[in-house]
């Protein structure tokens, strides 16, 4: 049985478009992922099918009403027992480690907000976890849900082309990736580092490790904080930084 995503959204076509291409499509075709969308508008009872209302206390924007959302969640739970995850700017920032934990479940329910968000009592009564995809403003939770579906799907067994590419990825080891090159040998006058053409696999592995460490230190030093580097790694890193300081001086 595949991993099941149930997505609660006012824009089901938008969320379904995530499986129209890329990694999630392969996962669905291979039966590793199932996607079901639920529209809270279908759970309204008034003739205008109202899903939002003005905020108590006043102010700009609208709030998603609790009743249709709680009725939708109740119906989802007749089909799936997965945790309910609310995508929102107030959530913890999503990380590869959180994605890895999620991929160990067998199903997840993703709740997407629109407008200013959902009535807080929905979160209190029915939400297990709240996640953000970063500190910038989106128009709603759908893109967050699509990011989460993509990131979880590619970790499921039998989804990736080569089984170990997921493990070799940047962030699985907590470091940024090394540079990559392919043919031709010259591009705009720039060549390929000679070690990559040497055929010496031990040296190539060492160079890649050094590039990963060096780029991480320069671009994302936060990723190295609290990470214990061994003596070999510290030497690779200090050699990288020496070379890079010399290049900056030129
Ligand atoms: C501009 C509106 N803001 C009022 C001060 C608050 C606000 C409400 C609703 C900001 C964004 C949203 C909609 N965003 C999401 O639903 C969302 C989101 C995001 O905006 N950034 C990062 N991750 C996520 S996950 C869901």
């Amino acid at each position: 049985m595949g991993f099941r995503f149930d997505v609660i959204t006012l824009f089901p076509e938008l969320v379904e478009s995530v499986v129209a291409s890329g990694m999630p499509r392969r996962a669905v075709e291979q039966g590793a992922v199932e996607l079901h969308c639920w529209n809270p508008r279908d759970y309204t009872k008034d003739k205008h099918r109202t899903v939002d209302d003005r905020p108590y206390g006043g102010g700009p924007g609208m709030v998603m009403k609790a009743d249709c959302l709680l009725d939708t969640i109740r119906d989802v739970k007749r089909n799936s027992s997965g945790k309910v995850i609310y995508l929102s700017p107030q959530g913890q920032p999503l990380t590869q480690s959180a994605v890895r934990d999620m991929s160990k479940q067998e199903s997840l329910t993703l709740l997407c907000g629109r407008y200013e968000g959902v009535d807080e009592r929905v979160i209190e009564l029915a939400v297990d976890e709240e996640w953000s995809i970063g500190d910038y403003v989106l128009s709603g939770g759908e893109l967050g849900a699509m990011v989460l579906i993509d990131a979880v799907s590619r970790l499921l067994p039998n989804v990736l082309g080569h089984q170990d590419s997921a493990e070799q990825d940047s962030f699985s080891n907590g470091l940024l990736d090394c540079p990559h090159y392919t043919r031709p040998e010259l591009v705009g006058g720039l060549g390929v580092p000679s070690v990559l053409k040497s055929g010496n696999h031990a040296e190539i592995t060492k160079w890649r490790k050094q590039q990963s460490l060096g780029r991480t230190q320069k671009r994302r030093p936060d990723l190295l904080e609290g990470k214990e580097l061994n003596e070999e790694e510290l030497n690779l890193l200090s050699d990288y930084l020496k070379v890079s300081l010399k290049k900056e001086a030129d």
Side-chain angles (χ1 to χ4, degrees):
M1 269 317 280
F3 195 104
R4 177 178 172 124
F5 292 103
D6 290 275
V7 184
I8 300 171
T9 171
L10 292 172
F11 298 94
E13 350 50 64
L14 172 57
V15 175
E16 274 153 11
S17 75
V18 74
V19 304
S21 65
M23 182 61 66
R25 188 191 63 198
R26 262 164 78 194
V28 169
E29 283 166 357
Q30 294 171 4
V33 164
E34 260 177 71
L35 175 63
H36 301 267
C37 288
W38 305 76
N39 192 338
R41 205 175 289 283
D42 297 335
Y43 293 81
T44 54
K45 295 179 175 109
D46 64 313
K47 91 162 190 264
H48 294 107
R49 311 224 295 159
T50 313
V51 293
D52 61 331
D53 203 345
R54 289 165 301 145
Y56 273 111
M62 299 291 271
V63 176
M64 283 180 85
K65 290 166 67 61
D67 50 3
C68 58
L69 289 175
L70 291 170
D71 286 346
T72 311
I73 293 169
R74 185 177 306 122
D75 213 12
V76 172
K77 284 185 184 290
R78 297 169 51 237
N79 298 273
S80 166
S81 55
K83 279 186 178 163
V84 177
I85 291 181
Y86 176 41
L87 284 308
S88 104
Q90 285 72 242
Q92 288 292 117
L94 192 64
T95 60
Q96 187 64 18
S97 142
V99 167
R100 209 177 292 125
D101 288 345
M102 291 177 190
S103 73
K104 292 168 188 159
Q105 312 277 304
E106 59 184 36
S107 59
L108 289 173
T109 298
L110 308 180
L111 172 60
C112 304
R114 279 275 153 172
Y115 319 110
E116 291 308 301
V118 309
D119 187 307
E120 188 67 18
R121 291 160 298 184
V122 173
I123 303 171
E124 283 196 38
L125 291 169
V127 167
D128 298 306
E129 297 178 5
E130 199 168 340
W131 292 97
S132 159
I133 62 161
D135 294 338
Y136 38 79
V137 179
L138 300 173
S139 313
E142 284 77 10
L143 283 167
M146 292 159 81
V147 163
L148 198 154
I149 290 168
D150 185 285
V152 169
S153 296
R154 57 189 300 293
L155 293 185
L156 300 175
N158 311 320
V159 169
L160 273 168
H162 354 231
Q163 192 55 39
D164 39 44
S165 346
E167 265 325 296
Q168 286 185 11
D169 269 342
S170 169
F171 293 117
S172 324
N173 63 5
L175 297 176
L176 300 184
D177 211 352
C178 63
H180 301 286
Y181 299 86
T182 187
R183 292 183 294 175
E185 213 171 299
L186 265 180
V187 174
L190 297 178
V192 175
S194 55
V195 59
L196 297 180
K197 299 184 290 181
S198 68
N200 185 334
H201 291 288
E203 282 300 310
I204 291 169
T205 300
K206 203 171 96 182
W207 180 86
R208 287 179 170 156
K209 183 82 190 269
Q210 180 172 49
Q211 292 290 314
S212 284
L213 286 163
R215 279 152 59 113
T216 306
Q217 174 65 253
K218 289 226 124 188
R219 301 178 186 195
R220 293 290 309 277
D222 57 300
L223 295 177
L224 288 179
E225 276 162 30
K227 203 171 148 75
E228 281 287 340
L229 299 184
N230 63 33
E231 193 180 331
E232 189 213 1
E233 292 169 328
L234 288 169
N235 286 330
L236 286 172
L237 184 53
S238 78
D239 288 350
Y240 179 100
L241 295 171
K242 271 179 218 151
V243 171
S244 116
L245 279 173
K246 209 179 296 158
K247 280 186 183 153
E248 280 166 26
D250 291 343

